[in-house]
Amino acid sequence: MSNSTPAPNTRLRPLLIAWAALVALTLLSTGLGQFRGSGNGLTIVVAAIIWLKAWLVAYTFLEASICHTFIRRLVFIFIAYAPVLLVLTDWYGSWFASWTSL
Amino acid sequence: MTASTEHTVMPPSEAGGRIPGNRGIWVGITCIFVEFGVLFMVYFVARAHFPEAFHSGAERLSRTAGTVITLLMISSSFSVAAAVVSMRAGQQRASLRWLVAALLLALGYPLTKYLEIRWNLAHGVDAQAGVFVGAYYYLTLNHLVHASWGILGMLWVLFRHVTGAYSAHDYGGLEALASYWHATDIIWLVIFPFFYVLA
């Protein structure tokens, strides 16, 4: 039987490591919020954290990397969509606002 | 192709890769991703038009509530994933315990949201508090509705699990629930910094 798809995970350890990383990144996000910084630098960091956390869930919990091509593309496009638009909105907000005015 | 292939419960491999759970749940998840893709676009349009309201918005909300909900969501998502992994390893009792843990953690979300809304109303964060708060209620309550469906699904899968419906070779229902819950988690991980972190 030819089977090129890797077998799904059966170990708890990778899940635990991902969970610990997600908790750490969440607390880091909360700390960034307390910091009250603003501007493009903070937006890029926040966007990177959004992508990293969503990727961790998609890769480790959902095992999207061994899923059907459609599912893999759907999930990885969705987790990139918001961070990319967040950065673009902060960089080109006025242009975006004029483009979306009635 | 023979007719016997139609009776395969959960094929380990298909052309193009695995389908966790079943095709139906992925139709639903695709619709939810498209729906929230549109809702996020509404957020970005509002953020572009009213940057000042969004820069000062996070200070009006309870960051503690947002952080607690995030920790509950990721912990619940982890527990559901652990339930699936335990089932694959043939540890049905451990899988059941993880699923119960996932449900209890998930129930903390609506409870925390209820307390957060009470706090909001006591601090004047109501539907007439401007575009930022409007977008906040629009997105977070929409997410709560989807999470509630997930909790109901969790109760059903728990009932099936207790009655011995799943095994190491047939756990499609459990994995379908896990896929939905992970998708709901991913959506929240995007929403959280939109309203509670970004200044």
Side-chain angles (χ1 to χ4, degrees):
Chain A
M1 184 175 82
S2 67
N3 188 348
S4 58
T5 307
N9 174 38
T10 54
R11 294 182 305 134
L12 279 176
R13 188 178 163 83
L15 305 181
L16 256 174
I17 293 170
W19 174 78
L22 285 164
V23 170
L25 287 167
T26 299
L27 297 177
L28 176 63
S29 294
T30 305
L32 285 172
Q34 300 281 8
F35 170 65
R36 296 172 202 271
S38 63
N40 294 340
L42 178 70
T43 304
I44 290 172
V45 173
V46 169
I49 292 174
I50 293 174
W51 179 83
L52 184 55
K53 287 169 75 177
W55 182 86
L56 275 170
V57 173
Y59 187 84
T60 316
F61 294 172
L62 196 52
E63 299 173 329
S65 60
I66 60 169
C67 286
H68 190 278
T69 310
F70 174 81
I71 295 172
R72 198 166 57 238
R73 287 179 183 162
L74 170 76
V75 171
F76 287 122
I77 287 172
F78 184 78
I79 67 175
Y81 165 77
V84 168
L85 271 183
L86 184 61
V87 172
L88 291 178
T89 305
D90 263 35
W91 283 4
Y92 305 105
S94 53
W95 176 83
F96 188 48
S98 65
W99 189 67
T100 53
S101 294
L102 293 174
Chain B
M1 178 180 287
T2 63
S4 64
T5 57
E6 293 174 13
H7 299 291
T8 304
V9 175
M10 211 174 60
S13 171
E14 296 184 11
R18 286 186 80 240
I19 297 176
N22 53 58
R23 289 171 192 270
I25 197 69
W26 280 99
V27 172
I29 290 171
T30 303
C31 292
I32 291 169
F33 277 168
V34 171
E35 177 192 355
F36 274 92
V38 173
L39 295 180
F40 291 165
M41 186 57 78
V42 171
Y43 169 87
F44 289 121
V45 170
R47 188 177 172 86
H49 280 267
F50 305 97
E52 294 82 13
F54 280 77
H55 285 312
S56 59
E59 302 308 320
R60 303 171 67 184
L61 301 178
S62 167
R63 191 167 286 127
T64 303
T67 304
V68 168
I69 291 171
T70 308
L71 293 174
L72 287 168
M73 283 300 295
I74 58 179
S75 299
S76 180
S77 199
F78 159 72
S79 300
V80 169
V84 172
V85 163
S86 300
M87 181 59 79
R88 279 180 193 150
Q91 300 165 341
Q92 294 189 349
R93 289 184 70 83
S95 174
L96 185 60
R97 282 196 295 269
W98 280 116
L99 190 59
V100 170
L103 176 64
L104 292 175
L105 288 162
L107 287 171
Y109 174 18
L111 176 65
T112 308
K113 182 54 77 179
Y114 168 73
L115 296 172
E116 182 190 9
I117 290 175
R118 279 186 57 177
W119 185 92
N120 285 348
L121 296 177
H123 290 80
V125 183
D126 56 23
Q128 278 121 36
V131 65
F132 172 83
V133 175
Y136 153 78
Y137 277 125
Y138 184 48
L139 264 168
T140 57
L141 292 181
N142 213 315
H143 185 269
L144 180 64
V145 169
H146 287 80
S148 301
W149 295 342
I151 291 169
L152 290 174
M154 223 177 268
L155 283 167
W156 171 246
V157 169
L158 183 61
F159 169 74
R160 299 259 301 151
H161 205 317
V162 169
T163 56
Y166 305 125
S167 70
H169 304 293
D170 179 9
Y171 55 92
L174 175 62
E175 201 171 38
L177 166 78
S179 300
Y180 179 86
W181 197 243
H182 298 323
T184 310
D185 185 25
I186 287 173
I187 293 166
W188 177 261
L189 294 179
V190 176
I191 292 173
F192 167 62
F194 277 5
F195 296 105
Y196 300 93
V197 175
L198 281 170

